[in-house]
């Protein structure tokens, strides 16, 4: 590696071939197409998840508050607008339109990064930089979660703003201002992007004439904060502030390791193991580079402010569920780190074999990260099946279930973060369609989906043993489930169970075939209970599995 | 005598000789307290006779022709009463590999640095699973022949090539480390002249392996599951780096083996690898010599070895596993020596390197001692359990398998009563004799009692009806629980209706009653078949209510 005197990046002087793209640019485009195709393929097996339900169920009006009320503590106006528009146009039968938009925004963000880095270090190193990001498995909860279009849009607009600033003309500045605003309205990452632009402009001779680029977005954001944002709950604390240096270092270390495909291994899941020593080395290289440069460029200071600002803000608002090593932060951390790295290395001439080695590292890291992405997609597909099964059961129970009934991890196997209640869900599907399995689809869905459906049905219908002893004469059978588990159909009018001794347990199933997912607990010794399951939208019968204990009598109950 | 004269190459070789001798003696002494443990049993018991399948069937999917021949030869001539001849053969192969490693290193960095480098390898405690195991003669043989092949190929002449080819084939017969070495030989040939004309040097062993794999490599009684998967291949890079990192940490004595609660040398190995890689890259970038490319030879070997291990990863095959550390450390040293090729430190530098090597050797020696104690303890359990099996020989069914539950040791189902007793009759017994068993450690006696109880087997079965004669009534719980010496054949027991009595049996054990025949409810017959030992069993009854014990 050697230094060259001038930076090789002024757009006006770029050779036409480089501007349009050489072989590495074509390969990058191909890799982006492959990434997009794979993401859409994997997303095709998923449905709406977690935070998306908030947009779909609780932000359905076109009032200003719908868009400007903070989500947790964030301004997500544009993502909410996108969801509103897509729901209006396509309904919510299928998550595909949302997934397509998210993937396009993700590719746009990576594409912008490629353009940015290419201008500074050439197309091959830019290719090496983006390859691991295109298949960033450790950030699966970004790449496979359309809700995170907020991040992608914010990054794409933010980098776009930095590129627009480079034009140094009126149109460029206006574009930069608009893109910074968009970045802010996509996600809070816009704040460090505005900070980066502010730092850069502060060193500019025309700083006062160009100040509007950052002043207008800042004022608008402050207006939002005064009107809406201040009401949000945050985790900001002095403790977080005091611990922010170590959090920031951990974040940088985790991002660096993840970028290189060393985010985790089969026997060791922490990205810090490799990240910390790599970060020490990287900081040494940065120090050496700064020494060589003598005077860092305004853009280097700006992108450094962007990277450190992002991690500082994240550290300030962290909580037990938001460690610096969380996969969802790594996409952002890596992209911002790439911007700084591009600035630092801008103007370096890298020898051919070193370039080959760096591209090779990028390819290998992409393969490692891609495999993790594939694994994550497989796990999410299973969750999606459970969701669609559970929601199908919720719809079947519509006539009986309380509108306040909430789906939880305990009653559905899926953590909905307390967002999904029956009333809001029914209201939304009436207006926009249902993403759940139909009853016919549910019957042939995977076992995990059917099992989840049974669990949700039991919770929604309030299935539990009740007091009751009136039986239809001549319908009793005697069982010994202690010796061998017994399976009996539960008649519509109910079943009366009388256990002679303690220890008999009852479990139920309806759509499931491989398991009895509804556990009703033990029967009282010597007592009589009535097991009656309220009718819902499915004519399919329930079955009870009886295990353990001693002699047991099961009788058909008299109709209520 | 000046320091420079003291640090003459000859003195380095004398010191190497002393170190090698000391290592050999130490390993021999410690191995004298160890017996056959796990994989040894496959060679000793489960490959009877002498045919192609005996020699070529895989062991856990590995070709082990060399170790099989060594074990067969020793078993046929000396028997299997003692582990020492097998251990001695392995130690000889290990020391040979270290001496050859020294030869490889000294060509690059001189005698004193090479000596400093091999010192920790000679007592590599983090690789105790290799150094204290006879079965690992496979690794040692493969490594020794492999390094020999590398030295031969460096000659670059007509005599060197066939020697290298033959040594690669021999290396392959001992372990698949040869495949990694073959990758290095291929790179070496590519860096020399006439790569295609000399490709046969690598092609012959690879073709032999390719022929073995489909014909024998996927069959046999002890094939084991394959860990190979595309997932493992895709995620191999972090594994490979962890492998190098763990080797560096282990070599420097900074790694605690998994068995002792550590993760090999990973904690220190990772930052060290990052730092050393940075230094190496800077060094290579400054260097204008075409010889720099030769680092690709050991690098190809190391990367190939860890890649093959990563591709076959499964639980128990982490990169910091003790048995990989010797191999990894050798490759790390070869890479480092190639990077530093031509470096000849002055006497101060040589002394510093020697100090570093000695410190690393001392740290490793301490860990080797821990490993020895762990294996010696396991050996006592094995010898006790096998003694129990031999005592029950007249009663035990041939298919009886020693398991962790019935013997306190995990033989991985490699020891069955039939093959063991047959081999013991033909080649002698490594177990404690009955006299030795009496004074063996408690763990050994516990294992013997458990194996006997399972092999005979001892049973407690309900037997209602009138009691035979010779009955006594006993009772008590906790410290007052009565202990009854049982007659040959066992006894009939009666507990009051509804009472549950805990029973415990022992024969050779003294500190506990390790055999649990199950709880006594009502009348039952405790049946203890007679065997080759006249020592009586003792029964402990933990009974709140009085229990009748009838000895007739």
């Amino acid at each position: 590696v050697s230094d060259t005197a001038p930076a090789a990046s002024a757009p006006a002087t770029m050779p036409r071939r480089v501007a349009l793209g050489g072989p590495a640019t074509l390969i990058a485009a191909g890799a982006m197409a492959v990434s997009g195709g794979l993401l859409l393929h994997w997303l095709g097996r998923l449905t709406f998840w977690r935070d998306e339900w908030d947009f779909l169920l609780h932000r359905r009006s076109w009032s200003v508050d719908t868009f400007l009320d903070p989500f947790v503590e964030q301004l997500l106006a544009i993502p909410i607008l996108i969801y509103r528009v897509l729901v209006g146009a396509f309904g919510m039968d299928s998550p595909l339109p949302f997934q397509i938009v998210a993937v396009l925004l993700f590719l746009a963000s990576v594409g912008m990064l490629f353009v940015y880095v290419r201008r500074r270090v050439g197309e091959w190193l830019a290719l090496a930089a983006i390859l691991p990001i295109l298949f960033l498995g450790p950030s699966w909860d970004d790449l496979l979660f359309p809700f995170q279009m907020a991040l992608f849009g914010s990054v794409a607009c933010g980098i776009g703003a930095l590129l627009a600033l480079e034009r140094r003309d009126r149109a460029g500045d206006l574009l930069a201002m608009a893109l910074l605003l968009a970045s802010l309205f996509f996600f809070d990452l816009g704040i460090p992007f505005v900070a980066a632009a502010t730092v850069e402009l502060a060193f500019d001779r025309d700083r006062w004439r160009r100040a509007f680029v950052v002043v207008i977005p800042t004022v608008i954001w402050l207006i939002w904060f005064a009107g809406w944002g201040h009401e949000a709950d945050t985790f900001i604390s002095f403790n977080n502030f005091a611990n922010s240096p170590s959090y920031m270092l951990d974040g940088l270390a985790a991002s660096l390791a993840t970028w290189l495909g060393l985010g985790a291994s089969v026997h060791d899941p922490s990205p810090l193991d490799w990240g910390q020593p790599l970060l020490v080395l990287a900081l040494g290289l940065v120090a050496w580079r700064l020494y060589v440069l003598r005077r860092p460029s305004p853009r280097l200071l700006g992108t450094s402010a962007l990277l450190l600002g992002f991690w500082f803000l994240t550290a300030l608002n962290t909580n037990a569920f938001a460690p610096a090593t969380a996969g969802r932060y790594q996409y952002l951390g890596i992209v911002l780190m790439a911007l700084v790295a591009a600035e630092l290395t801008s103007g370096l001439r890298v020898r051919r074999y070193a370039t080959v080695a760096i591209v090779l590292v990028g390819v290998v890291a992409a393969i490692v990260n891609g495999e993790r992405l594939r694994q994550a997609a497989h796990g999410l597909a299973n969750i999606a099946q459970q969701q669609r099964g559970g929601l199908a059961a919720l719809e079947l129970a519509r006539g009986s279930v309380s509108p306040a009934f909430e789906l939880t991890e305990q009653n559905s196997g899926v953590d909905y973060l307390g967002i999904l209640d029956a009333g809001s869900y029914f209201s939304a599907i009436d207006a926009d369609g249902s993403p759940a399995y139909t009853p016919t689809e549910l019957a042939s869905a995977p076992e995990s989906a059917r099992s989840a459906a049974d669990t949700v049905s039991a919770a929604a219908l309030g299935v539990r043993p009740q007091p009751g002893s009136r039986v239809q004469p001549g319908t009793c059978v005697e069982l010994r489930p202690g010796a061998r588990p017994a399976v009996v159909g539960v008649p519509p009018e109910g079943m009366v169970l009388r256990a002679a001794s303690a220890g008999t347990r009852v479990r139920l199933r309806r759509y499931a075939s491989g398991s009895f997912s509804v556990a009703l607990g033990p029967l009282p010794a010597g007592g009589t209970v009535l097991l009656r399951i309220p009718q819902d939208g499915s004519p399919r019968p329930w079955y009870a599995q009886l295990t353990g204990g001693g002699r047991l009598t099961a009788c058909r109950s008299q109709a209520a | 005598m000046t320091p420079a004269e003291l640090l003459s190459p000859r003195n380095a070789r004398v010191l190497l000789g002393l170190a090698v001798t000391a290592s050999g003696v130490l390993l021999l002494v410690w191995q004298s307290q160890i017996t056959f443990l796990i994989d040894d049993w496959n060679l000793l018991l489960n490959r009877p006779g002498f045919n192609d399948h005996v020699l070529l069937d895989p062991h856990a999917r590995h070709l082990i022709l060399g170790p099989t021949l060594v074990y067969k030869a020793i078993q046929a001539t000396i028997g299997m009463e003692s582990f020492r001849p097998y251990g001695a053969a392995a130690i000889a192969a290990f020391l040979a590999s270290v001496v050859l490693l020294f030869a490889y290193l000294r060509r690059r960095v001189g005698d004193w640095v090479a000596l400093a480098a091999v010192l920790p390898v000679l007592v590599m405690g983090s690789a105790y699973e290799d150094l204290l195991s006879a079965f690992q003669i496979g690794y040692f043989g493969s490594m020794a022949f492999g390094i020999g092949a590398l030295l031969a190929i460096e000659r670059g002449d007509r005599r060197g090539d066939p020697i290298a080819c033959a040594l690669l084939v021999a290396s392959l017969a001992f372990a698949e480390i040869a495949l990694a070495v073959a990758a290095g030989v291929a790179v070496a040939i590519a860096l020399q002249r006439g790569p295609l004309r000399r490709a046969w040097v690598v092609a012959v062993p690879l073709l032999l392996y390719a022929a073995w794999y489909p014909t024998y490599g996927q069959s046999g009684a002890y094939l084991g599951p394959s860990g190979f998967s595309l997932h493992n291949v895709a995620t191999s890079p972090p594994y490979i780096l962890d492998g190098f990192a763990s080797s560096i940490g282990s070599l420097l004595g900074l790694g605690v083996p998994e068995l002792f609660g550590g993760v090999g040398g990973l904690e220190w190995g990772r930052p060290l690898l990052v730092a050393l890689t940075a230094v190496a890259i800077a060094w290579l970038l400054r260097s204008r010599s075409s010889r720099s490319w030769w680092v690709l030879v050991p690098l190809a070997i190391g990367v190939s070895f860890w890649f093959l291990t990563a591709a076959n990863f499964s639980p128990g095959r982490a990169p910091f596993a003790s048995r990989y550390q010797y191999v990894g450390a050798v490759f790390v040293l070869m890479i480092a020596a190639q990077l530093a090729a031509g470096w000849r430190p002055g006497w101060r530098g040589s002394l510093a390197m020697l100090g570093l090597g000695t410190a690393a050797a001392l740290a490793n020696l301490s860990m080797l001692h821990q490993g020895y104690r762990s294996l010696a303890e396991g050996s006592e359990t094995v010898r006790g359990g096998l003694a129990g099996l031999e005592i029950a020989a007249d009663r035990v069914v041939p298919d009886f398998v020693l398991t962790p539950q019935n013997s306190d040791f995990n033989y991985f189902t490699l020891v069955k009563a039939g093959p063991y007793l047959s081999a013991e009759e033909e080649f002698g017994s490594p177990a404690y004799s009955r006299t030795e068993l009496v004074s063996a450690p408690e763990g050994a006696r516990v294992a013997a009692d458990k194996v006997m109880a399972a092999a005979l087997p001892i049973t407690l079965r309900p037997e209602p009806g009138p009691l035979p004669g010779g009955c006594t009534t006993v009772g008590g719980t906790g410290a007052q629980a009565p202990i009854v010496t049982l007659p040959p054949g066992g006894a009939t027991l009666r507990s009051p209706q509804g009472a549950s009595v805990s029973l415990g049996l022992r024969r050779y054990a003294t500190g506990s009653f390790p055999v649990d025949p199950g709880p006594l409810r009502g009348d039952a017959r405790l049946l203890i078949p007679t065997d080759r030992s006249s020592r009586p069993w003792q029964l402990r009854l933990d009974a709140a209510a009085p229990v009748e014990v009838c000895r007739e």
Side-chain angles (χ1 to χ4, degrees), chain A residues 513-552:
Chain A
S513 54
S515 62
F516 290 82
S517 60
V518 182
L520 296 183
L523 295 176
T528 302
V529 297
L530 168 65
L531 183 58
R532 177 177 289 153
I533 300 173
Q535 187 63 44
D536 64 3
S538 170
R540 208 174 169 97
W542 286 84
Y543 292 91
Q545 182 195 49
L546 306 159
T547 56
R551 190 165 49 83
L552 178 126

Side-chain angles (χ1 to χ4, degrees), chain B residues 18-153:
Chain B
L18 291 173
V20 166
T21 308
S23 167
V25 170
L26 186 72
L27 291 173
L28 277 174
V29 169
W30 281 347
Q31 281 195 352
S32 67
Q33 302 301 312
I34 293 171
T35 189
F36 309 106
L37 291 173
I38 302 171
D39 303 291
D40 307 285
W41 294 114
N42 188 20
L43 293 178
L44 293 170
L45 309 182
N46 303 324
R47 296 185 180 233
F50 204 82
N51 58 45
D52 58 332
H53 283 287
V54 165
L55 298 175
L56 294 173
D57 273 356
H59 171 80
R61 297 184 175 264
H62 298 303
L63 173 63
I64 52 164
L65 171 62
T68 305
L69 286 171
V70 172
Y71 269 64
K72 284 268 161 210
I74 299 174
Q75 197 177 27
T77 53
I78 306 176
M80 62 175 219
E81 282 182 15
S82 170
F83 176 75
R84 288 177 203 177
Y86 301 84
I91 291 169
F94 166 65
L95 296 178
S97 75
V98 177
V99 170
L100 282 162
L101 174 65
F102 175 81
Y104 182 93
L105 300 178
R106 68 182 282 270
R107 286 189 184 184
R108 287 152 179 82
V109 290
D111 291 78
W112 283 99
V113 177
L115 173 65
V118 300
L119 282 180
V121 181
L122 282 169
V123 286
M124 198 167 170
S126 43
Y128 75 96
E129 283 184 359
D130 293 329
L131 270 63
L132 295 170
S133 160
F135 183 81
Q136 295 301 85
I137 192 173
Y139 275 13
F140 303 141
S142 189
M143 186 62 82
F145 286 121
I147 298 174
L150 287 170
L151 292 172
I153 203 70

